[in-house]
Every structure is written in structure tokens, then in C-alpha cells.
Amino acid sequence: MRLSRRRTPSLRTRMVLIAAVATTAVLILGGVLLSATVRMVLIDDAMDTARLRARDLGALAAAAELPPDPPVRDSDLVQVVGDGGRILAASRNVAGGAPLTLPAQPPGTTVVHRVDRIPIADSGAYRVVAHGISTPDGAVTVYVGVSIEEIDETVALVGQVGLAATPLFVVLLSVVMWTVLGRTLAPVERIRREADAITAQHLDRRVFEPEQHDELGRLARTVNAMLSRLQDSAVRQRRFVADTAHELRSPIASLRTQLETARDSTRPVHWDQVSADLLDETVRMQVLAEQLLLLARADAGTLGRTKVAVDLDDVVDLVSARLVVDPAVRLDTRGVEPVQVSGDPILLEQAVRNVVGNAVAHADRQVRIGLTVTDSEAVLTVDDDGPGIPRERRQEIFERFTRLDAARDRDHGGAGLGLAIVADITRAHDGRVEVCESPLGGARFRLRLPLTEDLRKC
């Protein structure tokens, strides 16, 4: 039995829900804090008013002008108590009742008492201001009580109104956010649909790019840049596979033809000659396979991981000694100076062999090799007096399977991979390769490689 996959809400829905929940929580928490603040402010204001009222009544008592029933609000109360608990004046809502069971206050002092309930009143909690005053008849305490229950009812009413308005506010906010997010995320959905429609066969297509230079615009431009890189990589890969198949087809066909001819021949076969030809084709295939493997490593980014100190002048001497050179071509290495670089000695030898071998293959009479040091890099120059390379095609020769009509023809036996390998190896060692016109009249190849840290500090 297949389990049904739970559908995940859209980003737009999740964002609206998160905003609604967060807004509700903020409103509730803010309402609680606001109610507490309002309650505290109202109580402080009521206490300030009660203190002023107590002082005014105390002044009237001292002047013997105290009315017997001072006017107050319905929920408030006033009692003026003299020595022995004698009530000198009281508001009408507590008239005839017993004196408050609160301590008498010394003259000139004022305190506030918290009273949960006053027996002579019907209301609940009170704050009672007690103010002591001296009169001609002795010390008197003026009590002015303020009902906290009424303040609490007012705060509760405000809270209920705010709580009732919260859902309406959250709904309105959700509608606004749904609309705004819909318009904001519309380009993202368009980019998603267009990107989803792009396949390996249609890498030339691009997604919509908004005119705004914001996050969405940068996202679209990044996606298009990525598609361009993928398209270039796919084109190079298809061309690489096609060229590889083409290059391998020739030696394989030659091997098969020679073997079939020797097998079907009715005359005696000169196996020494046939085996020599077969060996040449086999070596050619082996070299091509090794070159393709090295280029595959370059594409995978695994070249140049070995980093050791390499005496580049020794590498040049070794390559020059092992290289098969036409007797008519003179190889000049007098310009080679001792230089040490950091890298893979096998790969560096391969690069030097390829670039020097290329010069020897296309030189008429002379190849000159130079090796020197600049401020931060080693510079290897290889000059030849051959036909040279046209200016407009100098970067093209570093591409794979590239041959120039005059200087890279098949007569030299190459598959058009040697200089591409040089470029990949040099790049893997954080260097670069350049080509320009040689003072000898042909081509000059210049390899620039970083020095070791010790030489760089000198």
C-alpha cells in the first residue's frame, strides 16, 4: 500500500500563517503589557488626587472648617478620625459606619494603605491615603479611599475591546500580506516555471529577469549565469565526446584494416612490418587515452593537488635531453636560470614537454628556451622560428582538438590536445600561459608559474 504524501503548504501560505500567528502573539502580549501600564498609571493618578484631597481636608480640619459630609465620587470614601476613634467627618457612602481599622497617622506624614476590602463599603480592593494633621482639638487622621475595582473594570473593558478587535486586525493584515506576497512572489513562480521547463536539450533558454536590482533580480541573473555555464559545459562535453570518438576511430580503423588485410592475404605476410605499424597505432592510441584521462582529471578539478618544491630548470634540462629533435633544428637552453616553483613535478614535466615539443615540431632551424624569475613568479619562454600563429587564433590553440592549417596539421601526429593540456596544468598551478610573436619570427609561448613561498619572501 502506497502512503499518500502530505502536501506542504506554499511559501506564501506559510508566510501569511507565520505573520498571523506572530501578530496575534504580539498583540496579545502588547495588550497585556499595555493594560498593566494603563492600570498602573490610573492608580498613580488616583493616588495623586487622593493625596491632594487628603491635604485639602486636613487644612480644613486645622482651620475648624471641615464639613461633616465631604463630597466624593460614588466609589470613593472619606473619613476624618480624631483621638479615640471619634469620627469627625465622613462621606455619605460611609456615614454612620465604624471608623476604618487603620492605624492613626502622625501629624505631617502621609502613607498609602492597600486594603483588600473595607467592611463599611460594598466595593472590593481599595487604596487608602492616610494623612496626619494637627488641629486645635488634637491630632486628626484624614482617610481618603479610592476604589481599585473600578479601575480594574475600566482596564478590563479596554482589554476586552482590544481582544475583540484583534481577530479583525489579524484578518485584515493577512489579506494585505496575501495580496502583497502574491505580487512579490509572482516573479519567483515565473522563474520556477521557466527553469522547470528547461531541459538538457534546451539549455539555450533563459528565465525571466525582473528589471529591479533587488534579491529577485539578482536571483534571476544568477540562474541565467548558471544556465550559461551549464550550456557551455554541455557544448564542450558534446564536442569533446565527438572529437574523442573521431580521433579514436582513425587508429582503430587502421588497426582493423591492417589485421584484416594480413589475415585475408594469400601471399606471405611480413609480420615484422605489420607488427611495427600496429605498434605505432597502438602507441598513438595509448598517448591519446592518457591525454584524455589527464583532461578528464582537469575537468574534475583534481589536477595540481600535489604541492612540492620543484626545480623547474632541472625539469627543462630533463625534457630537453629526452626529447627527440630533428638534427636540422638546434635547441638552445642557455637562457635557463635556476628557478624553484611549487607544484606537481609530473604534471609540470608534462606541460614543459608539450610546449617544447610543439615548438620543436614546427620550428625550421632553431628553438630557444628561457627561464627567469620576476617579483613573484617564474617565467618560462619557448621561442621558435616556424610559421607562427595568427593573432586572431592565438587563444583558440589552447582549446581541445584544435589544429591550425599551417602550424597544427596532422602531419605532426598530434590530436590537438597538447596545448590544451598545457593550459589546464598551468591553470591548476595558479599560473597562466600566453602566446605572442617570437623575436625569431615564429611563436613565443610564455608560462608563468608562482614561486615557492621561500623564494617569494626573498
Side-chain angles (χ1 to χ4, degrees), residues 197-209:
I198 297 175
T199 62
Q201 290 74 30
H202 299 88
L203 289 177
D204 57 325
R205 297 177 58 180
R206 296 295 181 265
V207 300
F208 164 72
E209 290 188 8

Side-chain angles (χ1 to χ4, degrees), residues 9-44:
S10 64
L11 176 62
R12 182 183 182 185
T13 303
R14 295 201 304 270
M15 293 182 68
V16 171
L17 290 176
I18 292 172
V21 172
T23 302
T24 303
V26 170
L27 288 177
I28 292 176
L29 179 60
V32 171
L33 295 177
L34 179 62
S35 298
T37 303
V38 170
R39 183 177 184 273
M40 182 176 61
V41 171
L42 291 177
I43 291 177
D44 289 342

Side-chain angles (χ1 to χ4, degrees), residues 93-366:
N93 55 352
V94 292
L100 298 177
T101 57
L102 295 174
Q105 195 66 23
T109 61
T110 303
V111 296
V112 177
H113 298 282
R114 294 188 177 187
V115 181
D116 294 333
R117 188 172 184 82
I118 295 179
I120 59 176
D122 295 332
S123 301
Y126 269 76
R127 295 289 189 273
V128 179
V129 175
H131 177 65
I133 191 70
S134 296
T135 67
D137 297 330
V140 172
T141 301
V142 178
Y143 298 101
V144 177
V146 177
S147 175
I148 302 302
E149 185 176 8
E150 183 178 345
I151 294 177
D152 290 339
E153 291 176 354
T154 303
V155 173
L157 179 61
V158 174
Q160 291 173 0
V161 173
L163 189 61
T166 297
L168 179 60
F169 180 79
V170 172
V171 170
L172 292 176
L173 178 64
S174 299
V175 171
V176 172
M177 286 198 62
W178 182 268
T179 304
V180 173
L181 286 175
R183 295 181 179 179
T184 303
L185 296 178
V188 177
E189 177 61 20
R190 180 176 177 181
I191 293 172
R192 186 202 65 78
R193 290 196 305 267
E194 294 178 353
D196 185 63
I198 297 175
T199 62
Q201 290 74 30
H202 299 88
L203 289 177
D204 57 325
R205 297 177 58 180
R206 296 295 181 265
V207 300
F208 164 72
E209 290 188 8
E211 296 181 358
Q212 300 86 347
H213 294 278
D214 55 6
E215 289 80 0
L216 293 180
R218 292 195 295 271
L219 172 63
R221 284 184 284 274
T222 300
V223 171
N224 284 336
M226 178 189 67
L227 290 173
S228 298
R229 293 193 297 270
L230 289 176
Q231 182 183 10
D232 294 341
S233 177
V235 170
R236 289 196 303 269
Q237 185 178 14
R238 286 194 292 266
R239 187 176 64 181
F240 182 75
V241 172
D243 291 340
T244 300
H246 177 74
E247 293 296 333
L248 288 175
R249 183 171 57 185
S250 296
I252 292 175
S254 177
L255 287 172
R256 179 176 178 177
T257 300
Q258 294 185 64
L259 288 172
E260 289 178 347
T261 301
R263 180 182 178 183
D264 298 337
S265 177
T266 58
R267 293 178 298 178
V269 178
H270 300 285
W271 285 108
D272 291 341
Q273 180 64 36
V274 172
S275 62
D277 294 340
L278 295 178
L279 180 60
D280 290 341
E281 295 296 338
T282 304
V283 171
R284 178 182 171 189
M285 291 178 60
Q286 180 184 3
V287 172
L288 179 59
E290 291 175 351
Q291 291 177 335
L292 293 175
L293 179 60
L294 192 146
L295 292 174
R297 289 175 56 196
D299 291 338
T302 59
L303 286 183
R305 290 186 174 180
T306 302
K307 296 292 184 181
V308 297
V310 180
D311 293 324
L312 195 57
D313 54 307
D314 291 343
V315 173
V316 173
D317 293 339
L318 180 63
V319 170
S320 302
R322 293 181 177 178
L323 194 65
V324 178
V325 183
D326 190 315
V329 177
R330 184 170 65 90
L331 190 61
D332 184 1
T333 60
R334 290 176 297 177
V336 176
E337 301 177 1
V339 176
Q340 191 176 76
V341 297
S342 177
D344 188 323
I346 297 177
L347 294 179
L348 291 176
E349 181 182 345
Q350 177 78 43
V352 174
R353 184 187 303 111
N354 285 4
V355 72
V356 175
N358 177 79
V360 169
H362 302 99
D364 291 335
R365 292 183 301 275
Q366 182 180 8

